[in-house]
């Protein structure tokens, strides 16, 4: 089964295909930038985004919105994660947390599908802690800062664990489950 995935982020494409491969689903990247609505909800951003992309390409498609929600920063950077990463990066986030002992954070992902009739979205999340220093070379974005609960390593150090427990893997598995049953 092939699914169109509108994103400019190649890491997302690799990660969803890593999961999709286990279920016979291939996500094909489509370059179709869409405006991201100002909202604190990844679901709102993803759903509005996928409707925009569908209107442009006229084919069933998914988009994914995701972000890092840090409790001590009132959920910042949240839905602004991509923009904030491009501006201040991981060291900027650590600086904001200099005197903060509460390191609790959550990654969230929402995959939204639209085919002109059915609009469906699937969310996944993973809780963890923000490190004191970046660690690890793999993955992307905030991976070097995030240690999922129950694991002693960051996502950037342990991509196998990321594949099992990540926000994106949970959301994409929910999507695949629904999509496969819709197709059969
Ligand atoms: P598209 O909108 O084109 O899909 P994007 O990178 O702009 O790509 P988002 O708007 O969803 O994606 O922003 C998500 C940002 O949150 C992403 O750029 C990273 O900075 C961060 N992020 C999300 N998931 C992550 C993950 O699994 N590991 C590390 N950082 C992540």
């Amino acid at each position: 089964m092939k699914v169109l995935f509108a994103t400019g982020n190649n890491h997302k494409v690799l990660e969803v295909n890593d999961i999709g491969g286990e279920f016979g689903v291939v996500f094909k990247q489509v370059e179709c930038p869409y405006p991201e609505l100002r909202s604190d909800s990844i679901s709102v951003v993803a759903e509005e985004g996928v409707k925009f992309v569908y209107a442009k390409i006229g084919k069933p498609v998914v988009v994914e919105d995701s972000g890092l929600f840090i409790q001590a920063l009132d959920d910042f950077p949240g839905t602004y994660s991509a923009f904030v990463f491009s501006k201040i990066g991981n060291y900027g986030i650590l600086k904001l947390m200099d005197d903060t002992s509460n390191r609790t954070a959550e990654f969230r992902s929402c995959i939204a599908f639209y085919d002109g009739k059915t609009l469906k979205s699937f969310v996944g999340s993973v809780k963890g802690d923000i490190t004191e220093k970046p660690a690890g070379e793999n993955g992307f974005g905030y991976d070097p800062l995030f240690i999922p609960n129950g694991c002693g390593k960051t996502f950037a150090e342990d991509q196998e664990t990321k594949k099992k427990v990540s926000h994106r893997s949970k959301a994409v598995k929910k999507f695949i489950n629904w999509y496969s049953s819709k197709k059969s």
Side-chain angles (χ1 to χ4, degrees):
M1 269 186 295
K2 205 163 78 177
V3 179
L4 299 182
F5 179 22
T7 178
N9 185 326
N10 297 335
H11 296 279
K12 289 185 179 181
V13 180
L14 288 175
E15 288 190 7
V16 296
N17 274 317
D18 215 11
I19 305 287
E22 293 173 13
F23 301 92
V25 177
V26 176
F27 291 88
K28 190 175 177 305
Q29 185 172 12
V30 183
E31 290 282 353
C32 180
Y34 54 91
E36 289 197 2
L37 210 79
R38 261 193 202 183
S39 165
D40 287 339
S41 160
I42 51 169
S43 301
V44 170
V45 175
E47 287 178 4
E48 290 308 308
V50 81
K51 286 193 268 180
F52 180 94
V53 173
Y54 178 83
K56 286 267 171 209
I57 68 173
K59 291 179 187 160
V61 63
V62 298
V63 306
E64 193 247 24
D65 194 61
S66 50
L68 180 64
F69 295 72
I70 300 175
Q71 198 176 75
L73 302 180
D74 285 336
D75 281 347
F76 185 82
T79 51
Y80 305 102
S81 289
F83 175 74
V84 171
F85 186 81
S86 73
K87 291 289 175 198
I88 64 171
N90 284 331
Y91 285 100
I93 292 289
L94 290 178
K95 213 157 177 208
L96 293 176
M97 296 184 74
D98 250 356
D99 298 320
T100 310
S101 57
N102 174 8
R103 313 296 294 184
T104 304
E106 183 172 308
F107 266 126
R108 294 180 198 154
S109 161
C110 177
I111 294 183
F113 167 91
Y114 190 50
D115 62 2
K117 288 193 198 109
T118 306
L119 176 66
K120 281 287 265 184
S121 54
F122 305 86
V123 293
S125 65
V126 56
K127 288 189 190 331
D129 287 312
I130 300 298
T131 52
E132 302 284 339
K133 286 191 280 193
E137 302 294 327
N138 301 309
F140 71 103
Y142 303 103
D143 278 346
L145 296 189
F146 186 82
I147 299 184
N149 286 345
C151 175
K153 292 180 179 165
T154 66
F155 272 168
E157 292 175 298
D158 185 354
Q159 291 274 291
E160 271 311 301
T161 296
K162 182 175 187 189
K163 184 177 169 183
K164 283 194 202 120
V165 307
S166 88
H167 50 315
R168 184 163 299 104
S169 81
K170 288 173 186 160
V172 78
K173 280 178 193 158
K174 286 184 192 173
F175 165 72
I176 289 171
N177 193 23
W178 170 79
Y179 190 68
S180 313
S181 62
K182 171 179 148 72
K183 285 273 156 188
S184 58

